Amino acid sequence: MSSIYEQIGGAPAVDAAVDIFYRKVLADDRISDFFDGTDMDAQAAKQKAFITMALGGPNQYTGKDMRAAHKHLVKRGLSDSHFDAVVENLGATLQELGVPAATIGTIAESLGGLRNDVLDR
Amino acid sequence: MARLTYRGGSFEAEDGESVLECLERAGCAPPSSCRSGQCQSCLMKATSGSLPPAAQQGLKDAWRAQGLFLACACRPTEDLEVADADGGALEVAATITGREVLSDEVVRIRLATGSPFEYRAGQFVSVIRPSDRLTRPYSLASLPSEPQLELHVRRVPGGRMSAWLCDEAPIGEPVQLRGPAGECFYLAGEEQPLVLAGTSTGLAPLVGIVRDALDRGHRGPIALYHGSVRASGLYLADELDTLATHPNVRVVRSVLEGPTPDGVVQEGLDALVLGSGHDLKAARAWLCGAPELVRLLKKKLFLAGMPLKAIASDPFVVAPAGA
């Protein structure tokens, strides 16, 4: 069975999702500080990798990478509520792109498996 | 902890330290300018070991393949053998052929290269002073079809390169050039609306891009914004007026405070650009100059609906004193 990544159209669909997702998190007061870096292109590249991974596409992230990449943010107070807000924004992004609710639920569930890595627990 | 080998010496890079910082501690650093991975002044070459991806951000593919990297952006995670970038093969000899005062702050410098130099208007070059290898980036306001390169050099208080270029170096003086580099050049559909905004000598690449676009028959609307804190930072009024006579081109000049000369408005560039009714979903934008303004505008344009890939930006990071 093909991955959700393939079903929604692969890399071009992810490109479209990145701009929408990035706008949402920058506008979300709960988490915008974590995303408001000086280099927007570098931020967008990270988000592309994140969304690709979330959709089960080809990616090189491991749980260990997620832990290392977020350690400095945990020190700044990254917590469960922020994690939930990111998942919520990704869900809203995919909804805008016409991904069915059931599929979004599956994605959110699989992202839950990363929670402890991201929050360094 | 990574070990650096350079010119026969061996140096321990502390955790999180860049190659530039490590070699500065050792007193044998290469020339540098922006220290933030933008200007490519601190180009070096890795002869052994693997580079973190950030070390080669923004370099052209041929340079990456040769192991060239930016010392300020390279925080090595494993042992690395590095060398000076091979100057001869990467540089072009040029001479200073013209100097024209454009304002109290800005001087136009013209350069002629000894051999053909391929570039796009709006890209930048590293200008290298041969006597001490002092290196600084300058954007190109000229078109490749023109016989000389044109730079707009802002007098930076205490700036060694700007003082040399603006006042000290005689006409005919040789310089070395490396580059070109950067993504700020005309690239658009002929009908696309173009939005260009900059401060200070960020105007140089923008004027180059507008002239290039017109030269290539661009038919969409072009809006060029030049902003400054005070009127003393504005320049090139006559040439901008001439550009604005083109039916597709609109030029807006603005200041934040102080007296406003004729044709200049008092408003922030971000408010002007965002409030002008541009079709941001369809347009392409170029932003050059003061880093804070470039970043602010980029974020605002993006949040207002412009795709990130349609925004090219070139923050002009001034070298710290003594660098």
Side-chain angles (χ1 to χ4, degrees):
Chain A
M1 194 187 119
S2 66
S3 67
I4 296 166
Y5 176 81
E6 285 156 7
Q7 286 168 31
I8 74 159
V14 171
D15 280 337
V18 167
D19 272 7
I20 299 172
F21 175 70
Y22 192 5
R23 269 189 210 106
K24 285 189 190 300
V25 296
L26 275 180
D28 186 337
D29 290 340
R30 294 174 297 175
I31 49 175
S32 61
D33 282 355
F34 293 111
F35 288 90
D36 202 357
T38 51
D39 188 339
M40 291 183 70
D41 298 300
Q43 270 289 342
K46 284 181 199 163
Q47 287 166 27
K48 184 173 179 180
F50 164 67
I51 294 173
T52 302
M53 177 187 65
L55 301 179
N59 78 88
Q60 285 146 15
Y61 275 167
T62 64
K64 196 172 149 230
D65 293 331
M66 293 304 275
R67 191 175 287 271
H70 293 88
K71 237 176 191 157
H72 68 290
L73 298 178
V74 173
K75 281 187 196 142
R76 279 173 52 196
L78 189 74
S79 70
D80 280 298
S81 63
H82 303 121
F83 184 90
D84 293 338
V86 168
V87 174
E88 184 188 312
N89 279 292
L90 181 63
T93 302
L94 295 173
Q95 195 180 1
E96 240 173 77
L97 291 169
V99 177
T103 309
I104 294 173
T106 309
I107 292 167
E109 203 170 299
S110 73
L111 281 176
L114 292 169
R115 181 184 296 266
N116 286 340
D117 284 319
V118 168
L119 298 177
D120 195 26
R121 296 194 289 229
Chain B
M1 188 96 76
R3 180 160 288 280
L4 283 181
T5 312
Y6 173 57
R7 289 185 179 174
S10 180
F11 313 97
E12 290 279 350
E14 286 166 11
D15 278 345
E17 193 176 43
S18 69
V19 169
L20 180 63
E21 290 159 346
C22 177
L23 295 179
E24 280 175 342
R25 261 195 311 117
C28 59
S32 68
S33 184
C34 80
R35 308 180 68 88
S36 55
Q38 311 276 351
C39 79
Q40 307 193 358
S41 294
C42 61
L43 194 72
M44 293 187 82
K45 185 171 186 161
T47 48
S48 169
S50 74
L51 292 163
Q56 295 184 302
Q57 192 79 41
L59 298 187
K60 48 184 144 189
D61 291 343
W63 284 15
R64 288 171 194 245
Q66 292 171 49
L68 293 166
F69 70 97
L70 304 176
C72 74
C74 180
R75 302 180 192 281
T77 51
E78 55 184 87
D79 293 357
L80 209 54
E81 205 177 293
V82 301
D84 295 315
D86 179 11
L90 298 170
E91 293 170 14
V92 170
T95 49
I96 299 174
T97 51
R99 174 186 285 129
E100 183 187 344
V101 174
L102 296 176
S103 76
D104 287 349
E105 296 181 11
V106 181
V107 173
R108 167 153 46 205
I109 297 291
R110 292 191 197 276
L111 303 169
T113 56
S115 49
F117 186 71
E118 280 184 31
Y119 68 96
R120 296 290 308 272
Q123 287 192 295
F124 66 88
V125 290
S126 297
V127 175
I128 302 166
R129 179 164 70 179
S131 63
D132 60 358
R133 303 288 296 170
L134 182 67
T135 306
R136 292 288 182 267
Y138 291 100
S139 291
L140 293 159
S142 48
L143 303 188
S145 56
E146 295 168 336
Q148 298 178 85
L149 305 181
E150 174 184 342
L151 317 175
H152 297 175
V153 179
R154 182 170 73 88
R155 293 177 192 274
V156 177
R160 289 181 293 156
M161 183 64 95
S162 64
W164 187 69
L165 286 173
C166 294
D167 301 315
E168 298 159 16
I171 298 294
E173 183 78 1
V175 296
Q176 291 290 110
L177 300 180
R178 193 171 62 213
E183 305 295 321
C184 276
F185 51 81
Y186 176 70
L187 179 79
E190 289 181 351
E191 311 284 347
Q192 221 173 355
L194 310 185
V195 177
L196 307 97
T199 63
S200 185
T201 47
L203 184 60
L206 301 182
V207 163
I209 292 164
V210 170
R211 294 169 59 223
D212 191 26
L214 294 174
D215 221 41
R216 288 167 189 265
H218 188 84
R219 291 194 299 271
I222 301 175
L224 171 61
Y225 297 86
H226 189 213
S228 174
V229 176
R230 279 168 294 276
S232 58
L234 299 176
Y235 68 100
L236 217 64
D238 292 349
E239 285 172 50
L240 292 180
D241 285 347
T242 306
L243 267 184
T245 60
H246 193 284
N248 297 354
V249 179
R250 194 161 67 89
V251 175
V252 180
R253 310 166 80 221
S254 76
V255 295
L256 288 180
E257 59 183 49
T260 51
D262 277 353
V264 175
V265 297
Q266 185 165 345
E267 195 166 1
L269 269 191
D270 53 328
L272 276 172
V273 173
L274 270 296
S276 294
H278 297 298
D279 181 359
L280 296 179
K281 288 197 170 68
R284 187 166 279 275
W286 290 263
L287 313 172
C288 301
E292 313 73 43
L293 194 271
V294 166
R295 284 177 195 134
L296 176 74
L297 254 181
K298 187 168 179 172
K299 183 173 160 182
K300 288 197 169 183
L301 285 172
F302 174 65
L303 287 176
M306 199 161 203
L308 203 50
K309 284 186 177 145
I311 310 172
S313 61
D314 197 349
F316 288 10
V317 181
V318 175

